[in-house]
Amino acid sequence: MSWNFTNVNGPYGGTSEGPAWDGSGLLFTVIPYSYIMRYDPAERASTIYKEGTNNANGLMLDPSGTLFACEGGGRRVVRYEADGSATVLADGFEGKKLNVPNDLAIDHAGRVWFTDPLYEGAGGAWSEDRSNKELDHDSVYRLDPQADGSWSITRVTFDTTRPNGLLFSLAYNTLYVAQSGRLPEEKRELRAYPVNNDGSLGDGEVIHDFGEHRGIDGMCLDVEGNIVATAGFRESGPGPMIYVFSPSGEVIETHPLNVDRPTNCTFGGEDLSTLYVTTGEGHLLRAYTERQGRLLYP
């Protein structure tokens, strides 16, 4: 069954990202404007939910409905408080500034996992110049809440170059990571890392290789454990596409898009069967599907 995507908001003229369903509406970021927008399906309109977000990219709500974000321009991962302030969870590693935090996932224990690539320009003007990169690696990290309210940071990947979207399996025993290089010599793969009992990761396995074509940017999960992912562009390969992968990486379905460079997706709607997709030009697309999303919240 093909999915019919319609544009319900935008384009904003710059990358939209971080879609997160809050129970009745869809939060998403417009990175170059440092906006978080909220689309209300009942009103068929979006309003500015938050401004001044330091080029925030990935968003996620924890089980209590608290919003977390990767503020790429601020080189930090934050939690947004009810009073409008932002609590910084991490802004550095081993005495050096983070690169450009990109996307995040929260597990059932309340730990926050995030990717920290440096994509030129993703954090604003300063990030166009790679000499501003302080770390000599692009890694995935785990943040653990401490008793005093602080968060500890642990590096969990040692083989990634530009990790992008990340996602937990149904049982939280596998972390899927999109390895999304831009340069010809970089990898464009979907990887699966076993999650060990101590929160470390085992050796990653490549479960899908996109070869020379644009790989996965963002992804979400359905209730059967399948991975719904945004990938591809018009420049090469099969074009902009929504892929549905089995937990082991088999391509179950593909759904072409008539808008280029899909960036991320999540399920929403009353029964979580509506798929929302953001794009490189700042669209918010929507399709009604026969799949049901698995979200941490609501």
Side-chain angles (χ1 to χ4, degrees):
M1 180 177 175
S2 63
W3 296 349
N4 180 32
F5 286 91
T6 57
N7 183 39
V8 295
N9 194 224
Y12 286 87
T15 301
S16 54
E17 251 283 5
W21 181 252
D22 69 8
S24 61
L26 195 280
L27 301 172
F28 63 99
T29 55
V30 183
I31 296 175
Y33 298 162
S34 291
Y35 285 170
I36 297 175
M37 305 298 296
R38 185 178 186 275
Y39 175 72
D40 184 340
E43 298 291 334
R44 299 182 181 180
S46 290
T47 53
I48 296 175
Y49 179 83
K50 190 172 184 64
E51 300 179 81
T53 64
N54 295 306
N55 308 101
N57 184 336
L59 301 175
M60 191 170 184
L61 294 153
D62 75 1
S64 69
T66 301
L67 185 64
F68 292 72
C70 286
E71 292 192 346
R75 307 174 84 158
R76 62 188 198 170
V77 179
V78 302
R79 180 182 67 219
Y80 293 128
E81 309 297 356
D83 64 3
S85 65
T87 298
V88 179
L89 278 57
D91 59 7
F93 179 70
E94 294 182 344
K96 297 179 179 179
K97 290 180 182 177
L98 294 174
N99 297 322
V100 184
N102 182 295
D103 208 353
L104 70 169
I106 300 172
D107 67 18
H108 54 329
R111 300 177 299 191
V112 178
W113 305 62
F114 72 97
T115 54
D116 185 41
L118 196 144
Y119 287 108
E120 294 81 359
W126 70 266
S127 60
E128 297 281 3
D129 184 352
R130 287 189 70 84
S131 70
N132 287 315
K133 179 178 164 75
E134 296 186 10
L135 293 166
D136 63 0
H137 51 85
D138 290 21
S139 302
V140 182
Y141 298 89
R142 189 190 74 244
L143 301 174
D144 293 68
Q146 304 299 300
D148 64 358
S150 67
W151 295 73
S152 65
I153 183 169
T154 304
R155 182 183 177 188
V156 293
T157 64
F158 300 85
D159 61 343
T160 49
T161 51
R162 299 215 216 195
N164 200 326
L166 72 172
L167 180 70
F168 280 103
S169 63
L170 281 180
Y172 292 93
N173 57 1
T174 300
L175 182 67
Y176 299 109
V177 176
Q179 170 71 17
S180 307
R182 285 182 178 174
L183 302 175
E185 66 272 17
E186 292 179 320
K187 304 291 188 184
R188 284 158 288 275
E189 300 168 339
L190 175 57
R191 298 179 180 178
Y193 294 83
V195 181
N196 299 321
N197 290 335
D198 63 358
S200 64
L201 298 181
D203 292 337
E205 176 190 0
V206 177
I207 60 173
H208 187 84
D209 190 342
F210 288 85
E212 62 185 346
H213 310 303
R214 180 178 182 256
I216 292 172
D217 193 333
M219 48 192 171
C220 60
L221 204 67
D222 76 5
V223 292
E224 296 171 356
N226 300 309
I227 303 154
V228 181
T230 57
F233 57 2
R234 290 174 181 152
E235 290 178 31
S236 71
M241 196 84 67
I242 302 297
Y243 289 81
V244 182
F245 297 96
S246 74
S248 60
E250 176 192 1
V251 178
I252 302 172
E253 298 170 14
T254 56
H255 300 278
L257 292 168
N258 59 3
V259 176
D260 206 13
R261 291 178 180 267
T263 55
N264 211 336
C265 58
T266 195
F267 285 97
E270 277 187 23
D271 60 355
L272 301 182
S273 66
T274 302
L275 189 71
Y276 287 93
V277 177
T278 52
T279 78
E281 294 173 0
H283 300 84
L284 181 63
L285 308 176
R286 179 178 68 186
Y288 301 111
T289 80
E290 67 287 353
R291 296 189 173 275
Q292 187 175 26
R294 198 291 295 271
L295 303 180
L296 193 61
Y297 178 91

